[in-house]
Coordinates of all heavy atoms in Angstrom, one line a residue:
S891 N -14.9 -13.9 -8.2 CA -14.5 -15.3 -8.2 C -14.5 -15.9 -6.8 O -14.9 -17.0 -6.6 CB -13.3 -15.5 -9.0 OG -13.3 -15.1 -10.3
L892 N -13.9 -15.1 -5.9 CA -13.8 -15.6 -4.6 C -15.2 -15.8 -4.0 O -15.4 -16.9 -3.3 CB -13.0 -14.7 -3.7 CG -12.9 -14.9 -2.3 CD1 -12.1 -16.3 -2.1 CD2 -12.1 -13.9 -1.5
V893 N -16.1 -14.9 -4.1 CA -17.4 -15.0 -3.5 C -18.1 -16.2 -4.2 O -18.7 -17.0 -3.4 CB -18.2 -13.7 -3.8 CG1 -19.6 -13.8 -3.3 CG2 -17.5 -12.5 -3.0
K894 N -18.0 -16.3 -5.4 CA -18.7 -17.4 -6.2 C -18.1 -18.7 -5.8 O -18.8 -19.7 -5.6 CB -18.7 -17.2 -7.7 CG -19.6 -16.1 -8.1 CD -19.5 -16.0 -9.7 CE -20.4 -14.8 -10.1 NZ -20.3 -14.6 -11.6
G895 N -16.8 -18.8 -5.7 CA -16.1 -20.1 -5.3 C -16.6 -20.4 -3.9 O -16.7 -21.6 -3.6
A896 N -16.6 -19.5 -3.0 CA -16.9 -19.7 -1.6 C -18.4 -20.2 -1.6 O -18.7 -21.2 -0.8 CB -16.7 -18.5 -0.7
A897 N -19.2 -19.6 -2.3 CA -20.7 -20.0 -2.2 C -20.8 -21.3 -2.9 O -21.8 -22.0 -2.6 CB -21.5 -18.9 -3.0
G898 N -19.9 -21.7 -3.8 CA -20.0 -23.0 -4.5 C -19.6 -24.1 -3.6 O -19.7 -25.3 -4.1
G899 N -19.1 -24.0 -2.4 CA -18.8 -25.0 -1.5 C -17.3 -25.4 -1.5 O -17.0 -26.3 -0.9
N900 N -16.5 -24.7 -2.2 CA -15.0 -24.9 -2.2 C -14.5 -24.6 -0.8 O -14.5 -23.4 -0.4 CB -14.3 -24.2 -3.2 CG -12.8 -24.5 -3.3 OD1 -12.2 -24.4 -2.3 ND2 -12.3 -24.9 -4.4
P901 N -14.0 -25.6 0.0 CA -13.7 -25.3 1.4 C -12.5 -24.4 1.6 O -12.4 -23.5 2.5 CB -13.3 -26.7 2.0 CG -13.4 -27.6 0.9 CD -13.9 -27.0 -0.3
T902 N -11.5 -24.4 0.6 CA -10.4 -23.5 0.6 C -10.9 -22.1 0.4 O -10.5 -21.2 1.1 CB -9.3 -23.9 -0.3 OG1 -8.9 -25.3 0.0 CG2 -8.1 -23.0 -0.2
L903 N -11.6 -21.9 -0.6 CA -12.1 -20.6 -0.9 C -13.0 -20.1 0.2 O -13.0 -18.9 0.5 CB -12.8 -20.5 -2.3 CG -11.9 -20.7 -3.5 CD1 -12.8 -20.8 -4.8 CD2 -10.8 -19.7 -3.5
R904 N -13.9 -20.9 0.8 CA -14.7 -20.5 1.9 C -13.9 -20.0 3.0 O -14.2 -18.9 3.7 CB -15.6 -21.7 2.3 CG -16.6 -21.3 3.3 CD -17.6 -20.5 2.7 NE -18.3 -19.7 3.8 CZ -19.4 -18.9 3.6 NH1 -19.8 -18.7 2.4 NH2 -19.9 -18.3 4.6
L905 N -12.8 -20.7 3.3 CA -11.9 -20.2 4.4 C -11.4 -18.9 4.2 O -11.3 -18.0 5.0 CB -10.8 -21.2 4.7 CG -9.9 -20.9 5.8 CD1 -10.5 -20.8 7.2 CD2 -8.7 -22.0 5.8
I906 N -10.9 -18.7 2.9 CA -10.2 -17.4 2.5 C -11.3 -16.3 2.6 O -11.1 -15.2 3.1 CB -9.7 -17.4 1.2 CG1 -8.4 -18.4 1.1 CG2 -9.2 -16.1 0.6 CD1 -7.9 -18.8 -0.2
Y907 N -12.6 -16.6 2.1 CA -13.7 -15.6 2.1 C -14.0 -15.3 3.6 O -14.2 -14.1 3.9 CB -14.8 -16.2 1.3 CG -16.0 -15.3 1.4 CD1 -16.2 -14.2 0.6 CD2 -17.1 -15.6 2.4 CE1 -17.3 -13.5 0.7 CE2 -18.2 -14.8 2.4 CZ -18.3 -13.7 1.6 OH -19.4 -13.0 1.7
D908 N -14.2 -16.2 4.4 CA -14.5 -16.0 5.8 C -13.5 -15.2 6.5 O -13.8 -14.3 7.3 CB -14.7 -17.3 6.6 CG -16.1 -18.0 6.3 OD1 -17.0 -17.3 5.7 OD2 -16.2 -19.1 6.5
E909 N -12.1 -15.4 6.2 CA -11.1 -14.6 6.8 C -11.1 -13.2 6.3 O -11.0 -12.2 7.1 CB -9.7 -15.2 6.5 CG -9.5 -16.5 7.3 CD -8.1 -17.1 6.9 OE1 -7.4 -16.6 6.1 OE2 -7.9 -18.3 7.4
A910 N -11.4 -13.0 5.0 CA -11.5 -11.7 4.4 C -12.7 -10.9 5.0 O -12.6 -9.7 5.4 CB -11.6 -11.7 2.9
L911 N -13.8 -11.6 5.1 CA -15.0 -10.9 5.7 C -14.7 -10.6 7.2 O -15.1 -9.5 7.7 CB -16.2 -11.9 5.6 CG -17.6 -11.3 5.8 CD1 -17.8 -10.0 5.0 CD2 -18.6 -12.4 5.6
G912 N -14.1 -11.5 7.9 CA -13.8 -11.1 9.2 C -12.8 -10.0 9.4 O -12.9 -9.1 10.3
A913 N -11.9 -9.9 8.5 CA -10.9 -8.8 8.5 C -11.6 -7.4 8.2 O -11.4 -6.4 8.8 CB -9.9 -9.0 7.5
L914 N -12.6 -7.5 7.2 CA -13.3 -6.3 6.9 C -14.2 -5.9 8.1 O -14.2 -4.7 8.6 CB -14.3 -6.5 5.8 CG -15.3 -5.4 5.5 CD1 -14.6 -4.1 5.1 CD2 -16.3 -5.9 4.4
T915 N -14.9 -6.7 8.8 CA -15.6 -6.5 9.9 C -14.8 -5.9 11.1 O -15.1 -5.0 11.7 CB -16.4 -7.8 10.4 OG1 -17.2 -8.2 9.4 CG2 -17.2 -7.5 11.6
G916 N -13.6 -6.6 11.3 CA -12.7 -6.0 12.3 C -12.3 -4.6 12.1 O -12.1 -3.9 13.0
R917 N -12.0 -4.3 10.7 CA -11.6 -3.0 10.5 C -12.6 -1.9 10.8 O -12.3 -0.8 11.3 CB -11.2 -2.9 8.9 CG -9.9 -3.5 8.6 CD -9.5 -3.3 7.2 NE -9.4 -1.9 6.9 CZ -9.2 -1.4 5.7 NH1 -9.2 -2.2 4.6 NH2 -9.1 -0.1 5.4
I918 N -13.9 -2.3 10.5 CA -14.9 -1.3 10.9 C -15.0 -1.1 12.3 O -15.1 0.1 12.8 CB -16.3 -1.9 10.3 CG1 -16.3 -1.8 8.9 CG2 -17.5 -1.1 11.0 CD1 -17.5 -2.5 8.2
F919 N -14.8 -2.1 13.1 CA -14.9 -1.9 14.6 C -13.5 -1.3 15.0 O -13.5 -0.4 16.0 CB -15.1 -3.2 15.3 CG -16.5 -3.6 15.2 CD1 -16.9 -4.5 14.3 CD2 -17.5 -3.0 16.0 CE1 -18.3 -4.9 14.1 CE2 -18.8 -3.4 15.9 CZ -19.2 -4.3 15.0
A920 N -12.4 -1.5 14.4 CA -11.1 -0.9 14.8 C -11.1 0.6 14.5 O -10.5 1.4 15.3 CB -10.0 -1.5 14.0
E921 N -11.8 1.1 13.5 CA -11.9 2.5 13.2 C -12.8 3.2 14.2 O -12.6 4.4 14.4 CB -12.4 2.7 11.8 CG -11.5 2.3 10.7 CD -10.2 3.1 10.7 OE1 -10.2 4.3 10.8 OE2 -9.1 2.4 10.5
D922 N -13.6 2.5 14.9 CA -14.4 3.1 16.0 C -14.2 2.4 17.3 O -15.0 1.8 17.9 CB -15.9 3.0 15.6 CG -16.8 3.7 16.6 OD1 -16.4 4.6 17.2 OD2 -18.0 3.2 16.7
A923 N -12.9 2.4 17.6 CA -12.4 1.6 18.8 C -13.1 1.9 20.1 O -13.4 1.1 20.9 CB -10.9 1.7 19.0
Q924 N -13.6 3.1 20.2 CA -14.3 3.5 21.5 C -15.9 3.2 21.4 O -16.6 3.4 22.3 CB -14.2 5.0 21.8 CG -12.9 5.4 22.4 CD -11.8 5.2 21.4 OE1 -11.8 5.6 20.3 NE2 -10.7 4.6 21.9
G925 N -16.3 2.7 20.3 CA -17.7 2.3 20.1 C -18.6 3.5 20.0 O -19.8 3.4 20.4
E926 N -18.1 4.7 19.6 CA -19.0 5.8 19.6 C -20.1 5.8 18.5 O -21.2 6.3 18.7 CB -18.1 7.1 19.4 CG -17.2 7.3 20.5 CD -16.3 8.4 20.2 OE1 -16.4 9.2 19.3 OE2 -15.3 8.6 21.0
L927 N -19.7 5.1 17.4 CA -20.8 5.0 16.3 C -21.3 3.6 16.2 O -22.6 3.5 16.0 CB -20.0 5.3 14.9 CG -19.4 6.6 14.8 CD1 -18.6 6.8 13.5 CD2 -20.5 7.7 14.8
I928 N -20.5 2.6 16.5 CA -21.0 1.3 16.4 C -20.5 0.5 17.7 O -19.3 0.2 17.7 CB -20.6 0.5 15.1 CG1 -21.0 1.3 13.9 CG2 -21.1 -0.9 15.1 CD1 -20.5 0.7 12.6
P929 N -21.4 0.2 18.6 CA -20.9 -0.6 19.8 C -20.4 -1.9 19.4 O -21.1 -2.6 18.6 CB -22.0 -0.6 20.7 CG -23.3 -0.3 19.8 CD -22.8 0.4 18.7
D930 N -19.3 -2.3 20.0 CA -18.7 -3.6 19.6 C -19.4 -4.7 20.5 O -18.9 -5.0 21.6 CB -17.2 -3.6 19.8 CG -16.6 -4.9 19.2 OD1 -17.3 -5.8 18.8 OD2 -15.4 -4.9 19.2
T931 N -20.5 -5.3 20.0 CA -21.2 -6.3 20.6 C -21.4 -7.5 19.7 O -21.2 -7.3 18.5 CB -22.6 -5.9 21.2 OG1 -23.4 -5.6 19.9 CG2 -22.6 -4.6 22.0
P932 N -21.8 -8.7 20.2 CA -22.0 -9.8 19.3 C -23.1 -9.4 18.3 O -23.0 -9.8 17.1 CB -22.4 -10.9 20.2 CG -21.7 -10.6 21.5 CD -21.7 -9.1 21.6
V933 N -24.1 -8.7 18.7 CA -25.2 -8.4 17.8 C -24.8 -7.5 16.7 O -25.1 -7.7 15.5 CB -26.4 -7.8 18.6 CG1 -27.5 -7.2 17.6 CG2 -27.0 -8.8 19.6
T934 N -24.0 -6.4 17.1 CA -23.6 -5.5 16.0 C -22.5 -6.2 15.2 O -22.5 -5.9 13.9 CB -23.0 -4.2 16.6 OG1 -22.0 -4.5 17.6 CG2 -24.1 -3.3 17.2
R935 N -21.7 -7.1 15.7 CA -20.8 -7.8 14.8 C -21.5 -8.6 13.8 O -21.2 -8.6 12.6 CB -19.8 -8.7 15.6 CG -18.7 -7.8 16.2 CD -17.5 -8.6 16.7 NE -16.4 -7.6 17.1 CZ -15.4 -7.3 16.3 NH1 -15.3 -7.9 15.1 NH2 -14.5 -6.4 16.8
L936 N -22.6 -9.2 14.2 CA -23.4 -10.1 13.3 C -24.1 -9.1 12.2 O -24.1 -9.4 11.0 CB -24.5 -10.8 14.0 CG -25.4 -11.7 13.2 CD1 -24.6 -12.9 12.6 CD2 -26.5 -12.3 14.1
L937 N -24.5 -7.9 12.7 CA -25.2 -7.0 11.8 C -24.2 -6.5 10.8 O -24.4 -6.4 9.5 CB -25.8 -5.9 12.6 CG -26.5 -4.8 11.7 CD1 -27.9 -4.5 12.4 CD2 -25.7 -3.6 11.6
V938 N -23.0 -6.2 11.2 CA -22.0 -5.6 10.3 C -21.6 -6.7 9.3 O -21.4 -6.4 8.1 CB -20.8 -5.1 11.0 CG1 -19.6 -4.8 10.1 CG2 -21.1 -3.8 11.8
R939 N -21.4 -7.9 9.7 CA -21.1 -9.0 8.8 C -22.3 -9.2 7.7 O -22.0 -9.3 6.6 CB -20.9 -10.3 9.5 CG -20.5 -11.5 8.7 CD -20.4 -12.8 9.5 NE -20.2 -13.9 8.7 CZ -18.9 -14.3 8.2 NH1 -17.9 -13.8 8.6 NH2 -18.9 -15.4 7.4
G940 N -23.5 -9.1 8.2 CA -24.6 -9.2 7.2 C -24.6 -8.0 6.3 O -24.9 -8.2 5.0
W941 N -24.3 -6.9 6.8 CA -24.2 -5.7 5.9 C -23.1 -5.8 4.9 O -23.4 -5.5 3.7 CB -23.9 -4.4 6.8 CG -23.7 -3.2 6.0 CD1 -24.6 -2.3 5.4 CD2 -22.4 -2.6 5.7 NE1 -24.0 -1.3 4.8 CE2 -22.6 -1.4 4.9 CE3 -21.1 -3.0 6.0 CZ2 -21.6 -0.6 4.5 CZ3 -20.0 -2.2 5.5 CH2 -20.3 -1.0 4.8
A942 N -22.0 -6.4 5.2 CA -20.9 -6.5 4.3 C -21.3 -7.5 3.1 O -21.0 -7.3 2.0 CB -19.7 -7.0 5.0
V943 N -22.0 -8.5 3.5 CA -22.5 -9.5 2.5 C -23.5 -8.8 1.6 O -23.5 -9.0 0.4 CB -23.0 -10.8 3.2 CG1 -23.7 -11.7 2.2 CG2 -21.9 -11.5 3.9
M944 N -24.5 -8.0 2.2 CA -25.4 -7.3 1.4 C -24.7 -6.4 0.4 O -25.1 -6.3 -0.7 CB -26.3 -6.4 2.4 CG -27.4 -5.6 1.5 SD -28.3 -4.5 2.7 CE -27.0 -3.2 2.9
V945 N -23.7 -5.7 0.9 CA -22.9 -4.8 -0.1 C -22.3 -5.5 -1.2 O -22.4 -5.1 -2.3 CB -21.9 -4.0 0.8 CG1 -20.9 -3.2 -0.1 CG2 -22.5 -3.0 1.8
E946 N -21.7 -6.7 -0.9 CA -21.2 -7.5 -1.9 C -22.3 -7.9 -3.0 O -22.0 -7.7 -4.2 CB -20.7 -8.9 -1.4 CG -19.4 -8.8 -0.7 CD -18.9 -10.1 -0.1 OE1 -19.7 -11.1 -0.2 OE2 -17.8 -10.1 0.5
D947 N -23.4 -8.3 -2.5 CA -24.5 -8.6 -3.4 C -25.1 -7.4 -4.2 O -25.7 -7.6 -5.3 CB -25.6 -9.3 -2.6 CG -26.4 -10.2 -3.4 OD1 -26.0 -10.9 -4.3 OD2 -27.7 -10.2 -3.2
M948 N -24.9 -6.2 -3.7 CA -25.3 -5.1 -4.4 C -24.2 -4.6 -5.4 O -24.6 -4.2 -6.6 CB -25.6 -3.9 -3.4 CG -26.7 -4.1 -2.6 SD -26.8 -3.0 -1.2 CE -27.0 -1.4 -2.0
V949 N -23.0 -4.7 -5.0 CA -21.9 -4.2 -5.8 C -21.5 -5.1 -7.1 O -21.3 -4.6 -8.2 CB -20.7 -3.9 -5.0 CG1 -19.4 -3.6 -5.9 CG2 -20.9 -2.8 -4.0
L950 N -21.5 -6.4 -6.8 CA -21.1 -7.3 -7.9 C -21.9 -7.2 -9.1 O -21.4 -7.1 -10.2 CB -20.9 -8.7 -7.3 CG -19.8 -8.9 -6.3 CD1 -19.9 -10.3 -5.8 CD2 -18.4 -8.6 -6.9
P951 N -23.2 -7.3 -9.0 CA -24.0 -7.1 -10.2 C -23.9 -5.8 -10.9 O -24.0 -5.6 -12.1 CB -25.5 -7.4 -9.8 CG -25.4 -7.9 -8.4 CD -24.1 -7.6 -7.9
W952 N -23.8 -4.7 -10.0 CA -23.7 -3.4 -10.6 C -22.3 -3.3 -11.4 O -22.4 -2.7 -12.5 CB -23.7 -2.3 -9.4 CG -23.7 -1.0 -10.0 CD1 -24.9 -0.3 -10.2 CD2 -22.5 -0.1 -10.4 NE1 -24.5 1.0 -10.8 CE2 -23.2 1.1 -10.9 CE3 -21.2 -0.3 -10.3 CZ2 -22.3 2.1 -11.3 CZ3 -20.4 0.7 -10.8 CH2 -21.0 1.9 -11.3
V953 N -21.3 -3.8 -10.8 CA -19.9 -3.8 -11.6 C -20.1 -4.6 -12.9 O -19.5 -4.1 -13.9 CB -18.8 -4.3 -10.6 CG1 -17.6 -4.6 -11.4 CG2 -18.6 -3.3 -9.5
A954 N -20.7 -5.7 -12.9 CA -20.9 -6.5 -14.0 C -21.6 -5.8 -15.1 O -21.3 -5.9 -16.3 CB -21.5 -7.9 -13.7
D955 N -22.6 -5.0 -14.8 CA -23.4 -4.3 -15.8 C -24.1 -3.0 -15.2 O -25.3 -3.2 -14.8 CB -24.5 -5.3 -16.3 CG -25.2 -4.7 -17.6 OD1 -24.9 -3.5 -18.1 OD2 -26.0 -5.4 -18.2
P956 N -23.3 -2.0 -15.0 CA -23.9 -0.9 -14.4 C -25.2 -0.3 -15.1 O -26.2 0.2 -14.3 CB -22.9 0.2 -14.4 CG -21.6 -0.5 -14.7 CD -22.0 -1.8 -15.4
A957 N -25.3 -0.4 -16.4 CA -26.4 0.1 -17.1 C -27.7 -0.6 -16.8 O -28.8 -0.1 -16.8 CB -26.2 0.2 -18.6
A958 N -27.6 -1.9 -16.5 CA -28.8 -2.8 -16.3 C -29.5 -2.4 -15.0 O -30.6 -2.7 -14.8 CB -28.4 -4.3 -16.3
S959 N -28.7 -1.9 -14.0 CA -29.3 -1.6 -12.7 C -30.1 -0.4 -12.6 O -30.9 -0.2 -11.7 CB -28.2 -1.6 -11.7 OG -27.4 -0.4 -11.7
A960 N -29.9 0.5 -13.5 CA -30.5 1.8 -13.6 C -30.2 2.6 -12.3 O -31.0 3.5 -11.9 CB -32.1 1.6 -13.8
V961 N -29.1 2.3 -11.6 CA -28.7 3.0 -10.5 C -27.2 3.6 -10.8 O -26.4 2.8 -11.3 CB -28.6 2.1 -9.2 CG1 -27.9 2.8 -8.1 CG2 -29.9 1.6 -8.8
T962 N -27.1 4.9 -10.5 CA -25.7 5.4 -10.8 C -24.8 5.0 -9.7 O -25.2 4.5 -8.7 CB -25.8 7.0 -10.8 OG1 -26.1 7.5 -9.5 CG2 -26.9 7.5 -11.8
R963 N -23.5 5.2 -10.0 CA -22.5 4.9 -9.0 C -22.7 5.7 -7.7 O -22.6 5.1 -6.7 CB -21.1 5.2 -9.6 CG -19.9 4.8 -8.7 CD -18.6 5.2 -9.4 NE -17.5 4.7 -8.6 CZ -16.9 5.5 -7.7 NH1 -17.4 6.8 -7.4 NH2 -15.8 5.1 -7.0
D964 N -23.0 6.9 -7.9 CA -23.2 7.8 -6.7 C -24.4 7.3 -5.9 O -24.3 7.4 -4.6 CB -23.3 9.3 -7.2 CG -22.1 9.9 -7.6 OD1 -20.9 9.3 -7.3 OD2 -22.1 10.9 -8.3
E965 N -25.4 6.9 -6.6 CA -26.6 6.4 -5.8 C -26.3 5.1 -5.1 O -26.8 5.0 -4.0 CB -27.8 6.2 -6.8 CG -28.4 7.4 -7.4 CD -29.3 7.1 -8.6 OE1 -29.1 6.2 -9.3 OE2 -30.4 8.0 -8.7
L966 N -25.5 4.2 -5.7 CA -25.1 3.1 -5.1 C -24.2 3.3 -3.9 O -24.5 2.8 -2.9 CB -24.4 2.1 -6.1 CG -23.9 0.8 -5.6 CD1 -25.1 -0.1 -5.2 CD2 -23.0 0.1 -6.6
L967 N -23.3 4.2 -4.0 CA -22.5 4.5 -2.9 C -23.3 5.2 -1.8 O -23.0 4.9 -0.6 CB -21.3 5.4 -3.3 CG -20.3 4.8 -4.2 CD1 -19.3 5.8 -4.8 CD2 -19.6 3.6 -3.5
A968 N -24.2 6.0 -2.1 CA -25.0 6.7 -1.0 C -25.9 5.6 -0.3 O -26.0 5.7 0.9 CB -25.9 7.7 -1.7
L969 N -26.4 4.7 -1.1 CA -27.2 3.6 -0.5 C -26.3 2.8 0.5 O -26.7 2.5 1.6 CB -27.8 2.8 -1.5 CG -28.7 1.6 -1.1 CD1 -29.8 2.1 -0.3 CD2 -29.1 0.8 -2.3
I970 N -25.2 2.4 0.0 CA -24.2 1.6 0.8 C -23.8 2.4 2.1 O -23.9 1.8 3.2 CB -23.0 1.2 0.0 CG1 -23.4 0.1 -1.0 CG2 -21.9 0.6 0.9 CD1 -22.4 -0.1 -2.1
G971 N -23.4 3.6 1.9 CA -22.9 4.4 3.0 C -24.0 4.8 4.0 O -23.7 4.9 5.2
G972 N -25.2 4.9 3.6 CA -26.3 5.2 4.5 C -26.9 4.1 5.2 O -27.6 4.2 6.2
S973 N -26.7 2.8 4.6 CA -27.4 1.7 5.1 C -26.9 1.2 6.5 O -27.6 0.8 7.4 CB -27.4 0.6 4.1 OG -26.1 0.1 3.8
L974 N -25.6 1.2 6.7 CA -25.0 0.7 7.9 C -25.4 1.5 9.2 O -25.9 1.0 10.1 CB -23.4 0.6 7.9 CG -22.8 0.0 9.1 CD1 -23.4 -1.4 9.5 CD2 -21.3 -0.1 8.9
P975 N -25.3 2.9 9.0 CA -25.8 3.6 10.2 C -27.3 3.4 10.5 O -27.7 3.4 11.6 CB -25.5 5.1 9.8 CG -24.4 5.0 8.8 CD -24.6 3.7 8.1
T976 N -28.1 3.3 9.4 CA -29.5 3.1 9.5 C -29.8 1.7 10.3 O -30.6 1.6 11.1 CB -30.2 3.1 8.2 OG1 -30.0 4.3 7.6 CG2 -31.7 2.8 8.3
L977 N -29.0 0.7 9.8 CA -29.2 -0.6 10.5 C -28.8 -0.6 11.9 O -29.4 -1.1 12.8 CB -28.4 -1.7 9.7 CG -28.9 -2.0 8.4 CD1 -27.9 -2.9 7.6 CD2 -30.1 -2.8 8.5
V978 N -27.6 0.0 12.3 CA -27.2 0.1 13.7 C -28.2 1.0 14.5 O -28.5 0.6 15.6 CB -25.8 0.7 13.7 CG1 -25.4 1.1 15.2 CG2 -24.8 -0.2 13.1
G979 N -28.8 2.0 13.9 CA -29.8 2.8 14.5 C -31.0 2.0 14.9 O -31.7 2.2 15.8
A980 N -31.4 1.1 14.0 CA -32.5 0.3 14.2 C -32.3 -0.7 15.4 O -33.4 -1.0 16.0 CB -32.9 -0.6 12.9
L981 N -31.1 -1.0 15.7 CA -30.9 -1.8 16.9 C -31.1 -1.0 18.1 O -31.6 -1.5 19.2 CB -29.4 -2.3 17.0 CG -29.0 -3.4 16.0 CD1 -27.4 -3.7 16.1 CD2 -29.8 -4.6 16.2
A982 N -30.7 0.3 18.1 CA -30.9 1.2 19.3 C -32.4 1.6 19.5 O -32.8 1.8 20.6 CB -30.0 2.4 19.1
D983 N -33.2 1.5 18.4 CA -34.5 2.0 18.4 C -35.5 1.0 17.7 O -35.9 1.2 16.6 CB -34.7 3.4 17.8 CG -36.1 3.9 17.9 OD1 -36.8 3.5 18.8 OD2 -36.4 4.7 17.1
P984 N -35.6 -0.2 18.3 CA -36.5 -1.2 17.6 C -38.0 -0.9 17.7 O -38.8 -1.6 18.3 CB -36.1 -2.5 18.4 CG -35.8 -2.0 19.8 CD -35.2 -0.6 19.6
A985 N -38.3 0.2 16.9 CA -39.7 0.6 16.9 C -40.6 -0.2 16.0 O -40.4 -0.9 15.2 CB -39.8 2.1 16.5

């Protein structure tokens, strides 16, 4: 409901959503405070924020109807878990 409300233009819900997304992004960087896995730069912060939104867009429809996606929970989790390191790696090696 929060994601839909924020996307629908409700300014209060948008503020709450942005704060929650910022907190999630901050936690990812706090867990790797030395930047060993994900360097804390404006580019990686933007990438992590985009990744979090992508994850929401993958998880919400799956939760609503897991059978319709033809993807198991474990497959979804593997995709989510593997995608962030892959995206960060693409920054380091823009081939």
Side-chain angles (χ1 to χ4, degrees):
S891 295
L892 177 60
V893 173
K894 288 180 181 180
N900 182 304
T902 302
L903 291 179
R904 184 68 199 183
L905 178 62
I906 294 168
Y907 174 80
D908 285 342
E909 288 177 5
L911 191 55
L914 172 64
T915 302
R917 284 184 63 187
I918 289 170
F919 287 98
E921 290 299 317
D922 183 29
Q924 282 69 43
E926 294 173 14
L927 300 173
I928 303 174
D930 191 351
T931 68
V933 171
T934 54
R935 282 198 173 259
L936 182 63
L937 183 131
V938 169
R939 182 180 173 91
W941 172 81
V943 172
M944 178 190 77
V945 168
E946 286 174 357
D947 204 40
M948 293 166 61
V949 170
L950 292 175
W952 189 90
V953 168
D955 190 0
S959 72
V961 174
T962 67
R963 180 181 185 273
D964 288 340
E965 290 170 329
L966 180 63
L967 292 174
L969 182 59
I970 290 167
S973 61
L974 183 57
T976 300
L977 290 168
V978 171
L981 288 176
D983 183 26

